[in-house]
Amino acid sequence: MNIDSLEKKLGISFKNKGYLSGACKHGSAYGNQPLSGVGFREQQAVLRLVGVASIRLALMETLARKFPNDASRYANNAFDFIKASLVMFSRKINLIEYIEYQKDSFEKGSGAAATSIDQLIASTMETIVGALHMDQGFISVQRFLAPFIGDTLQRSDLASLDPKSELNRFSCKKYGKTAVYQCFDKSGTPNKPLFSASVHVNGELVGTGTGSSKKDAEMNAAQATLKKLNVR
């Protein structure tokens, strides 16, 4: 891997190049090769955790300054947006070409294979952020993330909530308690399951929904309930 080329694309010069090269070596690259000492996968996991925590901290600090009364309301959407922005940047600089991984496990294509590649790129970028934190500290992480956070704060849908979150907010404000969900049926086939869920607000059944997963069924039930209650 050409470390100098990747550093130039990232706009970062690592003091310890081993952090960057290590962050770009996926565990699958080792196959069944035994590792001595602390396992490489454990080291990778720690760097990624540091990266995710650093991204969240940098984002929350900015949100807290810009929206002192609503930072927590924007947090989940903002984190999803900045992750997507980092993935787009990773594609732009062709990060995948710098990642060492077992290609048989991540064949390019559509569907699940494409999703796996996206997940590989996303997790590697998070690990690179963690490596930067370990190499140079949090201030350097903030400097690197600044343009991505800036783009995130410009989004018009930053404050939008998913149906479940919006319904819970409505229920808590009006009744002092969250909505209650129940998955009451599962049909379809093992490959194409169909779940049915109901939602109770203030103890009363208000809406139902279906979906290919329990999460989707509950989201659709919440959406139907919001419409029925004229919240949306």
Side-chain angles (χ1 to χ4, degrees):
M1 180 181 70
N2 190 330
I3 290 290
D4 292 338
S5 172
L6 180 55
E7 285 184 317
K8 185 176 181 180
K9 289 183 176 181
L10 291 170
I12 303 169
S13 180
F14 277 76
K15 299 174 183 177
N16 183 346
K17 311 295 184 184
Y19 275 123
L20 181 56
S21 60
C24 292
K25 191 165 186 176
H26 188 261
S28 64
Y30 286 92
N32 296 322
Q33 176 183 341
L35 302 174
S36 59
V38 178
F40 173 80
R41 291 176 181 80
E42 285 73 15
Q43 295 179 39
Q44 275 264 338
V46 169
L47 277 183
R48 186 181 177 191
L49 285 172
V50 171
V52 172
S54 298
I55 294 170
R56 286 191 178 277
L57 179 57
L59 183 60
M60 283 306 301
E61 181 174 317
T62 304
L63 288 174
R65 293 180 186 279
K66 188 172 180 64
F67 310 107
N69 298 319
D70 292 304
S72 59
R73 176 185 173 191
Y74 299 143
N76 288 334
N77 279 355
F79 185 66
D80 288 341
F81 294 155
I82 195 172
K83 283 178 63 178
S85 183
L86 285 168
V87 168
M88 289 180 63
F89 172 70
S90 299
R91 292 199 192 101
K92 182 179 179 180
I93 66 172
N94 207 15
L95 179 62
I96 190 66
E97 296 301 323
Y98 296 91
I99 303 174
E100 188 175 348
Y101 64 102
Q102 191 173 30
K103 291 180 172 58
D104 291 344
S105 302
F106 297 91
E107 291 184 3
K108 293 183 179 180
S110 58
T115 300
S116 295
I117 287 291
D118 284 345
Q119 291 172 343
L120 173 63
I121 292 171
S123 64
T124 300
M125 180 53 76
E126 290 168 349
T127 308
I128 289 174
V129 173
L132 176 60
H133 190 138
M134 297 300 294
D135 186 61
Q136 299 179 23
F138 183 59
I139 292 178
S140 292
V141 170
Q142 289 178 300
R143 189 180 301 119
F144 173 68
L145 294 176
F148 304 105
I149 293 177
D151 289 344
T152 294
L153 296 182
Q154 296 301 314
R155 292 189 59 132
S156 60
D157 54 348
L158 180 62
S160 65
L161 298 174
D162 64 76
K164 285 185 67 174
S165 297
E166 187 169 355
L167 181 58
N168 277 334
R169 187 178 180 188
F170 166 81
S171 183
C172 284
K173 185 176 181 179
K174 188 166 185 177
Y175 303 110
K177 52 188 176 183
T178 60
V180 177
Y181 296 85
Q182 181 180 7
C183 186
F184 62 84
D185 188 36
K186 179 183 178 183
S187 57
T189 65
N191 292 330
K192 292 185 177 181
L194 183 66
F195 294 87
S196 298
S198 60
V199 56
H200 291 72
V201 177
N202 196 33
E204 294 185 8
L205 173 63
V206 183
T208 61
T210 59
S212 58
S213 67
K214 289 182 179 179
K215 180 180 179 180
D216 287 344
E218 290 179 353
M219 283 291 186
N220 290 331
Q223 180 68 43
T225 300
L226 289 169
K227 289 182 179 179
K228 189 172 182 178
L229 296 174
N230 294 318
V231 179
R232 273 192 175 182

